Amino acid sequence: MIIAVDGPAASGKGTIARALAAHYGLPWLDTGLLYRAVGISVLRAGGNPDDPVDALAGCDFPDVLLDDPELRSEAAGKYASRVSVHPVVRAALIERQKAFANQPGGAVLDGRDIGTVIAPDADAKLYVEASTEARAERRYHDEIKDNPDADRAAILADIEARDRRDSERASAPLKRAEDADLLDTTNLTISAAVQRAIALVEARTGKR
């Protein structure tokens, strides 16, 4: 069973995908980590994430980098959004993602083009979204734990910019697959969102 979970930044897709993987006993891949690893590789090499040549060079990263805590930083997220616009980067990472999706037994993957590009034949597809304001507020509360000077307005502007880059890029833009079930988490608790996700998957697959 393959479950594809797509959606914009801070929509809750990662939390939901991780919970679905635990519920169904499937391996989980946060595909955004791959792009974050590319972004951090470019950053550490002193390259330009907006240059496709530098971005492609960043794709040659060791698997151990995926366990680096820096990949969860806000800077890594910004760099990931910038390198992901390059078709050469997406092409370099696509086979790794497809191999994960098609492993024996299935998998859960979350990202921005899972249901449209990586696993178009997934057994269940979810498109997780939330209002821009709700997503910015979630990101603000996450960031303020480590940065008391976090700026709500700056975080909102950053999310809006990332949404534009992700949805307007030429290669595999962020969009809802035609057969994906919509899950709006704006007014849902984490628990409620997860239960709703499980119900949607069950409706599609018949598996509890």
Side-chain angles (χ1 to χ4, degrees), residues 69-196:
E70 189 177 358
L71 265 60
R72 297 293 183 181
S73 69
E74 193 64 22
K78 292 177 181 178
Y79 268 71
S81 183
R82 290 167 67 181
V83 299
S84 66
V85 303
H86 305 301
V88 291
V89 171
R90 307 200 74 83
L93 298 178
I94 193 170
E95 291 308 318
R96 188 187 302 201
Q97 297 173 74
K98 285 187 173 182
F100 189 93
N102 293 299
Q103 62 184 290
V108 179
L109 296 87
D110 76 79
R112 287 167 172 75
D113 62 353
I114 309 304
T116 54
V117 176
I118 304 302
D121 296 324
D123 299 276
K125 299 178 184 179
L126 301 181
Y127 187 83
V128 183
E129 67 176 15
S131 70
T132 306
E133 293 74 18
R135 292 186 288 124
E137 192 66 13
R138 292 170 187 172
R139 184 58 53 82
Y140 170 75
H141 284 291
D142 283 341
E143 192 170 323
I144 201 172
K145 297 173 186 176
D146 300 315
N147 177 21
D149 298 322
D151 186 323
R152 274 191 173 90
I155 292 172
L156 176 61
D158 177 61
I159 283 184
E160 291 174 337
R162 289 170 67 176
D163 285 350
R164 284 193 297 273
R165 284 196 298 269
D166 290 340
S167 60
E168 296 174 2
R169 65 188 181 220
S171 178
L174 166 67
K175 64 179 181 179
R176 177 184 173 186
E178 292 183 1
D179 55 347
D181 291 308
L182 179 65
L183 175 52
D184 189 326
T185 66
T186 302
N187 298 309
L188 296 179
T189 63
I190 293 175
S191 177
V194 169
Q195 291 305 310
R196 177 59 179 156

Side-chain angles (χ1 to χ4, degrees), residues 1 11-12 14 31 41 47 65 67-68 84 97 112 114 149 153 193 199 201 206:
M1 180 169 67
S11 60
T31 62
S41 294
L65 181 58
D67 296 321
D68 192 318
S84 66
Q97 297 173 74
R112 287 167 172 75
I114 309 304
D149 298 322
V201 172

